[in-house]
Amino acid sequence: MPWLEALWRELQADAVALGERLPGALLIAVVGWVLSRILSSGAYAVIQPHPQGATLAPLLRSVVRVVVLAATAVMALDQLGVPIATVLAGAGIVGLAVGFGAQTLVKDLISGFFHILHGVLAVGDVVQLGDVNGVIEEVGLRVTKVRAFSGQLWYIPNGSIDRVGNFNRGWCRAVVEVSVPHEQDVRRAMRVLAEVGEAFRREHPQVVLDAPEVDGALGLTATNVTVRLGIKVSAQRHWSVEQELRLRAKDALAHERIAYHPEHQPGGGGTPAPRA
């Protein structure tokens, strides 16, 4: 059949052309893969020493690798004779269709970009994200990984992060509260706490950022009055400072024969510092 013979000759011609172009396409693919490894590793090495390097370096490495491999794929297809404009147009239509069904993914990516851009989250930060407390191990464009004190690794989509409590920004306040029975001298208990705070400030000037503050009558029940000692300290130091202040307050109040009951500590007090 003439038409069948014509089709066979056309397929043979295409196969010969493809065979001639295939080695060049394979060479482009190999060179592109090697370049992606070299350039991504180089970008990682350059960014890693910077202050935000632990956060940005893995992300930049992935972006460089994806960009180089995408360019390599386009060049290899062009070498094979594939019409790139048609492929890109088709990819754009498919991407638009997928985008309507992947709005959550897009939201995660945009949120992750702005979290990184504004320095809201960084690797090593001690944070509270919703009901999750822990140390950030990785900040990606889509997911942030947080290691809780218990050892659990939480994968939190960036689009679901609406509030961030970061203990690594600026300063924190170490807070110790005690309840003093009515029959005790509350003002004397406040003076004792003030002396404890001032002694700690003199011993640790590199940690304490401001003069200690003692507030009285914060709470009043039928049996007790709540008093509070607060000290402004360097970021992420308030857990250890609170532990030391509780021990000193216990000894000082016992030395003055002042009875008291420990209060639940607000704002993270009493919660052990997460460990990486």
Side-chain angles (χ1 to χ4, degrees), residues 24 27 39 88 117 127 140 269:
L27 179 62
L39 294 177
L88 293 179
L117 178 65
V127 297

Side-chain angles (χ1 to χ4, degrees), residues 6 12 15 25 28 40 57 81 86 110-112 114-115 125 132-133 149 157-158 165 173 175 189 192 200 211 250 269:
Q12 283 182 319
I28 291 174
S40 61
T86 303
I110 294 175
S111 299
F114 282 107
H115 287 330
D125 284 354
V132 176
N133 295 272
F149 179 75
N158 291 325
R173 195 180 302 280
V175 178
V192 170
F200 185 86
K250 171 184 175 297

Side-chain angles (χ1 to χ4, degrees), residues 252-274:
L253 291 170
H255 182 267
E256 296 293 327
R257 299 181 182 278
I258 299 175
Y260 73 96
H261 303 289
E263 288 280 346
H264 171 69
Q265 305 301 314
T271 301

Side-chain angles (χ1 to χ4, degrees), residues 189-208:
M190 293 174 61
R191 288 195 296 271
V192 170
L193 291 180
E195 292 170 0
V196 168
E198 184 60 28
F200 185 86
R201 184 188 68 82
R202 289 195 303 268
E203 296 173 16
H204 302 278
Q206 74 282 6
V207 175
V208 179

Side-chain angles (χ1 to χ4, degrees), residues 45 65 107 113 128 134 148 155 157 184 222 226 231 262 267:
R65 185 173 298 175
K107 180 181 177 182
F113 172 77
Q128 179 175 346
Y155 296 81
Q184 300 292 321
T226 301
I231 302 181

Side-chain angles (χ1 to χ4, degrees), residues 186-257:
V186 176
R187 289 183 174 81
R188 189 158 66 95
M190 293 174 61
R191 288 195 296 271
V192 170
L193 291 180
E195 292 170 0
V196 168
E198 184 60 28
F200 185 86
R201 184 188 68 82
R202 289 195 303 268
E203 296 173 16
H204 302 278
Q206 74 282 6
V207 175
V208 179
L209 304 179
D210 208 345
E213 298 178 359
V214 176
D215 301 304
L218 293 177
L220 183 63
T221 67
T223 57
N224 301 311
V225 178
T226 301
V227 297
R228 178 179 67 194
L229 168 63
I231 302 181
K232 186 177 179 180
V233 297
S234 303
Q236 212 184 136
R237 297 296 300 273
H238 64 290
W239 286 290
S240 59
V241 173
E242 284 177 356
Q243 293 169 5
E244 178 64 20
L245 289 177
R246 290 191 195 101
L247 293 174
R248 295 190 181 201
K250 171 184 175 297
D251 293 341
L253 291 170
H255 182 267
E256 296 293 327
R257 299 181 182 278

